[in-house]
Amino acid sequence: MYFISTRSGECVTGAEAIVKGLASDGGLFVPEKFPEITRDELNKMAEMNYPERAAFVLNKYLDDLGEDFLKEACEKAYSTFEGDDPAPLVRVNEGLYILELYHGPTCAFKDMALTVLPYLLKRSLEVTGSKDDVLILAATSGDTGKAALEGFKNVKGTKVAVFFPDEGVAKMQRLQMCTQSGNNVYVAAVKGNFDDCQRAVKNLFADEAFNAGLKEKGVCLSSANSINFGRLAPQIAYYFSAYIDLVTSEQIEVGDEIDFAVPTGNFGDILAGWYAKQMGLPVRRLICASNRNRVLADFFTTGSYNVKRNFFRTMSPSMDILISSNLERLLFEMSGRKADVIKTRMENLAKNGEYSITQTELQKIKQDFYGGYATEDDTVEAMYDIFEEYGYAMDTHTGVAVAVSNVYKEKEVDEKDDTPLIVLSTANPYKFPQDVLYALSGNDVKDSFKGVKRLNLLTAMKPPKALTELRYKPLRFKTTLPNDLKKMSASVLDFVDGNIVPEPASEK
Ligand SMILES: *Cc1c(COP(=O)(O)O)cnc(C)c1O
């Protein structure tokens, strides 16, 4: 399968798309066409375990990497997860299911892809014959950074540099990143919010002096953000897997339609669901849930994408984003694959902070998507209600999706409609212990680890060791950089040269 850029005729293999991350013209790589998964294949997938299902889906796109390789990679990647199912589907009540995607090493759904990506990248380098070392550069709203660091730490031939917004991440997320072990990792905070941070990193990708500096050192640049197709592809798999789990537990029959609700930031997770639908998965609607930073919800209503607005910090920080990069891939499809139209719109967004799509495109999008947003109060109420009635504790991001789904059910579907709804749960509640404790009990505590303790008393849910041990780990990275291309570029080049020596990691 070949991949094409959303902004020009650039065309590459799967391996090249993964190594490059972003197209030379600044566009994103999308598959030349959507491969199909037939009803027969769906039935066949019922016999497979999760890693086999994931490899089966990956092989539809990345056939140049080899099926046996993909199987082995998924096997190894998902063996790092807690429990025997990396993506368990929990039944909350008649018609409502939660797909828990947070059982990986860093307790957020980013692990579903970032445990696999290092294997995909190494293999892609072999296939393309590249001899360079790879520098993974990532901007993070909190969870991607940690998952990328953990996925790539000590992987030969790679280095990972992560920038996170100084003002943007939760305490646990910051601790997770700044205590990261490994001999090939670098972490720094950058002044400003996530959009500033993401923009700065995108500028680094495009900066000629920076790229030339790396090239001199025999290093090529790649991305662990969801702009990389290698990040997106493993996310398609869990939509199939969840559907098949509903079939095998006899909740639905193959061919029945279902809805998915997705807490959305950069639009990567939900886009993977739309790709699954294009491949033949019987999905009725994808519910795109935003928090108070409701650019997407407004876009789905008006067809105008406008980032000229206030940026809010919320208790779902991984969704505090105004510029959702992966929307570009959807718009490319909805425009009838007109790269010139997409290029113009993205230029408008960069220059004027907005663009609009046509009414025809908007109507098409509305057939597949429902966009809504939840306030902080809505989110707290949704989390509380489910905990009170069913004893199920969820994190704040998942809470946003449940709150928006409630409105969707009220407004868009008939009372008698019994189409099952799967809500994607993107983080372990213990990653945001103070906010979750507050939502479930009204209790405010000042300290995250005290929050963990109280939450444990309240829910009897086991806190993950990966989070509780953070309390005792030394901080290795303490730098905050200004949002300045030259300074960020210099710090990364310094790191590549081995001139930045972080504090030692703890032995544990
Ligand atoms: C990244 C993240 C999201 C948003 O996912 P996108 O793919 O960026 O839309 C939601 N919740 C959590 C916990 C996340 O880490």
Side-chain angles (χ1 to χ4, degrees), residues 46 55 88 134-135 148 168 190 247 284 302 305 317 378 403 407 422 432 439-440 447 473:
V134 184
L135 172 68
V190 179
V247 173
R284 184 174 66 176
T302 62
Y305 197 94
D378 298 338
V407 178
I422 296 181
F432 308 94
L440 303 190
D447 175 78
K473 282 193 165 182

Side-chain angles (χ1 to χ4, degrees), residues 276-348:
K277 182 171 159 87
Q278 301 317 296
M279 294 169 75
L281 191 70
V283 178
R284 184 174 66 176
R285 297 289 277 293
L286 291 154
I287 299 159
C288 176
S290 305
N291 63 25
R292 249 184 113 191
N293 294 296
R294 48 185 261 206
V295 186
L296 282 168
D298 291 347
F299 172 72
F300 285 122
T301 315
T302 62
S304 169
Y305 197 94
N306 190 330
V307 300
K308 289 177 289 183
R309 59 177 76 212
N310 288 333
F311 178 95
F312 299 109
R313 289 184 61 183
T314 71
M315 58 187 184
S316 42
S318 302
M319 297 157 66
D320 288 344
I321 295 176
L322 297 181
I323 299 178
S324 301
S325 301
N326 274 293
L327 188 64
E328 180 169 345
R329 286 187 162 112
L330 180 72
L331 297 181
F332 180 69
E333 304 298 339
M334 293 298 177
S335 73
R337 300 200 143 196
K338 295 199 183 92
D340 50 337
V341 171
I342 299 304
K343 186 164 182 282
T344 309
R345 286 180 186 160
M346 292 306 136
E347 282 168 2
N348 280 342

